[in-house]
Amino acid sequence: MKKLAENKPPPKKRGTVKIIEERCKGCWYCISYCPTKVLVVSPKLNEKGYHPPELKEDPPNKVCIACHLCELFCPDFALIVEEIK
Amino acid sequence: MSEKKKTTMEILREKVEELLRTDRLPHVWCPGCGIGIVLNAFLRAFIRAKMDPNKLVVVSGIGCTGRTAGYVNVDSFHTTHGRAIPFATGIKFARPELNVVVFSGDGDLFAIGGNHFINAARRNHDILVIAVNNFTYGMTGGQHGPTTPTGAYTTTTPYGNPDRPFNIPHLAISLGVPYVARWTTYHLMQLQNSIYTALHRKGFRVIEIISQCPTVYGRRNEMKNPLDMMEYFRKFSIRKDDATAEEMELTYNGKIVVGVFRDVQGIPTYEERYEELLRRAQK
Ligand SMILES: Cc1ncc(C[n+]2csc(CCOP(=O)(O)OP(=O)(O)O)c2C)c(N)n1
Ligand code: SF4
Ligand SMILES: [Mg+2]
């Protein structure tokens, strides 16, 4: 049997999302599927007339955990997740 | 301050950027179109496979999916409608060392290009086919095609499609294709891992990706926005690798059986058989 000490909890990663606004077309998959709900629809428009996402000041489920899910969902290559330590 | 060490995922993201013709972005695909998700998964799988981009060739036909060839920063061909597979087999024949990937739509591969598909599959040419199935001809305004589910509404089937669609994995398996898988654009990691595996296999490999075309298909079929289509994939897909042909069949807004339906190795490819023939003839 595995010792308990081996089952360490996963590292507590923290991240932030860089948004390339001019590439965004406003499908909002990122907003819908973010597990910690750190993204919201930005009130501003990009040059194509879409509302890109923006980082929420005070997200309901705490912080970006750098899971990179939004990066994988984004059909427009508009998101870059960076880890902060 | 010292430079922070980049994580694997951060490096992957940077390399995705290198494999894209970023000067051509934003791309032509509509908001929420699934093709971009598939392209992202493909690029990531390719990077993870640590294969040489100078030896990769992406071949596309005509259609929205066909535009992929124009966005990858590797040698690529945007061929005539339906002819992606003949171009690809030609490339592979002339330059067997190249890694040839066909990236095209359902109409391109199975309607006008259907005969090329079945014959290339039968001969087991060494190419990977990424078939983006959005149930319709997206580019030309949403006509029905050979993959449109029975009953679906399109511009050319205003009372519902009376035809029965192709069962692509079943078709491929019946032709002896060594690697056959189906995913949806919701299966981000499964799709990426499946492409990664397929890149390491030999012979004709087919991955069908059920993708959303919210603009001309979704809005006529009770899925008005991109998220509705993504939610359909999330709620209605089930993984079953040993699915029977009947289970693989797609029905109108019904369940989508996904998985790796066939993965066998050791079947000689067309190129291998041809080389062997040359050896015998030259003796
Ligand atoms: C020889 C020829 N016939 C018809 C067309 C018109 N045409 C352009 S794209 C297309 C269908 C594309 O459908 P699909 O491959 O499913 O791509 P999608 O746009 O859905 O990604 C058709 C019929 C053409 N360009 N060339
Ligand atoms: S028409 Fe459909 S397939 Fe074509 S880019 Fe728009 S959503 Fe995608
Ligand atoms: Mg199509």
Coordinates of all heavy atoms in Angstrom, one line a residue, chain B residues 35 62-66 81 105-109 112 134 136-140, ligand 1:
Chain B
I35 N -13.6 25.0 -35.9 CA -12.4 24.6 -36.7 C -11.1 25.1 -35.9 O -10.1 24.4 -35.9 CB -12.4 25.2 -38.1 CG1 -13.7 24.7 -38.8 CG2 -11.2 24.8 -38.9 CD1 -14.0 25.4 -40.1
I62 N -11.4 22.5 -50.2 CA -12.1 23.8 -50.2 C -13.2 23.8 -49.2 O -13.8 22.7 -48.9 CB -12.7 24.1 -51.6 CG1 -11.6 24.2 -52.7 CG2 -13.5 25.4 -51.6 CD1 -10.6 25.3 -52.5
G63 N -13.5 24.9 -48.6 CA -14.5 25.0 -47.5 C -13.9 25.8 -46.4 O -12.8 26.3 -46.5
C64 N -14.7 26.0 -45.4 CA -14.2 26.8 -44.2 C -13.0 26.0 -43.6 O -12.0 26.6 -43.4 CB -15.3 27.0 -43.2 SG -16.7 28.0 -43.8
T65 N -13.2 24.7 -43.5 CA -12.1 23.9 -42.9 C -10.9 23.9 -43.8 O -9.8 23.9 -43.4 CB -12.6 22.5 -42.7 OG1 -13.9 22.5 -42.1 CG2 -11.6 21.7 -41.8
G66 N -11.2 24.0 -45.1 CA -10.1 24.1 -46.1 C -9.2 25.3 -45.9 O -8.0 25.2 -46.4
H81 N -11.4 21.6 -54.8 CA -12.5 21.0 -54.0 C -12.5 19.5 -54.1 O -12.6 18.9 -55.2 CB -13.8 21.6 -54.4 CG -14.9 21.4 -53.4 ND1 -14.7 21.1 -52.1 CD2 -16.3 21.4 -53.5 CE1 -15.9 20.9 -51.4 NE2 -16.8 21.1 -52.3
G105 N -12.9 19.4 -44.6 CA -14.3 19.4 -44.1 C -15.0 18.1 -44.6 O -14.6 17.4 -45.4
D106 N -16.2 18.0 -44.0 CA -17.0 16.8 -44.3 C -17.5 16.8 -45.8 O -17.5 15.8 -46.5 CB -18.2 16.7 -43.4 CG -19.0 18.0 -43.3 OD1 -18.4 19.0 -43.2 OD2 -20.2 17.9 -43.4
G107 N -17.9 18.0 -46.3 CA -18.3 18.0 -47.7 C -17.2 17.8 -48.6 O -17.3 17.0 -49.6
D108 N -16.0 18.3 -48.3 CA -14.9 18.2 -49.2 C -14.4 16.7 -49.2 O -14.1 16.2 -50.2 CB -13.8 19.1 -48.6 CG -12.6 19.1 -49.5 OD1 -12.7 19.8 -50.6 OD2 -11.6 18.5 -49.2
L109 N -14.4 16.1 -48.0 CA -13.8 14.7 -47.9 C -14.8 13.6 -48.3 O -14.4 12.6 -48.8 CB -13.3 14.5 -46.5 CG -12.0 15.2 -46.1 CD1 -11.8 15.1 -44.6 CD2 -10.8 14.6 -46.9
I112 N -17.8 15.5 -52.6 CA -17.1 15.6 -53.8 C -15.8 14.7 -53.8 O -15.4 14.2 -54.8 CB -16.8 17.0 -54.2 CG1 -16.2 17.2 -55.6 CG2 -15.9 17.7 -53.2 CD1 -16.1 18.6 -56.1
N134 N -19.0 19.2 -39.6 CA -19.9 20.2 -39.0 C -21.3 20.0 -39.6 O -22.2 20.9 -39.5 CB -19.4 21.6 -39.1 CG -19.1 21.9 -40.6 OD1 -19.4 21.2 -41.5 ND2 -18.3 23.0 -40.7
T136 N -22.5 20.0 -42.4 CA -23.0 20.9 -43.5 C -21.9 21.5 -44.4 O -20.8 21.3 -44.1 CB -23.8 22.1 -42.8 OG1 -24.5 22.8 -43.8 CG2 -22.9 23.0 -42.0
Y137 N -22.3 22.2 -45.4 CA -21.4 22.9 -46.2 C -21.4 24.3 -45.7 O -22.2 25.2 -46.0 CB -21.8 23.0 -47.7 CG -21.9 21.7 -48.5 CD1 -22.5 21.6 -49.7 CD2 -21.3 20.5 -47.9 CE1 -22.5 20.4 -50.4 CE2 -21.4 19.3 -48.6 CZ -22.0 19.3 -49.9 OH -22.1 18.1 -50.6
G138 N -20.4 24.6 -44.7 CA -20.4 25.9 -44.1 C -20.2 27.0 -45.0 O -20.9 28.0 -45.1
M139 N -19.1 26.9 -45.8 CA -18.7 28.0 -46.6 C -19.7 28.5 -47.6 O -19.8 29.7 -47.9 CB -17.4 27.6 -47.3 CG -16.9 28.7 -48.2 SD -15.1 28.7 -48.4 CE -14.6 29.6 -47.0
T140 N -20.5 27.6 -48.2 CA -21.4 28.0 -49.2 C -22.8 28.4 -48.7 O -23.7 28.5 -49.5 CB -21.5 26.9 -50.3 OG1 -21.6 25.7 -49.7 CG2 -20.3 27.0 -51.2
Ligands
LIG1 C1 -15.8 22.0 -57.9 C2 -16.5 22.8 -56.9 N1 -17.8 22.5 -56.6 C3 -18.4 23.2 -55.6 C4 -17.7 24.3 -54.9 C5 -18.5 25.0 -53.9 N2 -18.1 24.7 -52.6 C6 -17.2 25.4 -51.9 S1 -17.0 24.9 -50.3 C7 -18.1 23.7 -50.5 C8 -18.5 22.8 -49.4 C9 -17.6 22.7 -48.3 O1 -18.1 21.9 -47.3 P1 -17.2 21.3 -46.2 O2 -16.1 20.5 -46.8 O3 -18.0 20.5 -45.2 O4 -16.5 22.5 -45.4 P2 -17.0 23.5 -44.3 O5 -17.2 24.8 -45.0 O6 -18.3 23.0 -43.8 O7 -15.9 23.5 -43.3 C10 -18.7 23.7 -51.8 C11 -19.7 22.8 -52.2 C12 -16.4 24.5 -55.3 N3 -15.7 25.4 -54.6 N4 -15.8 23.8 -56.2

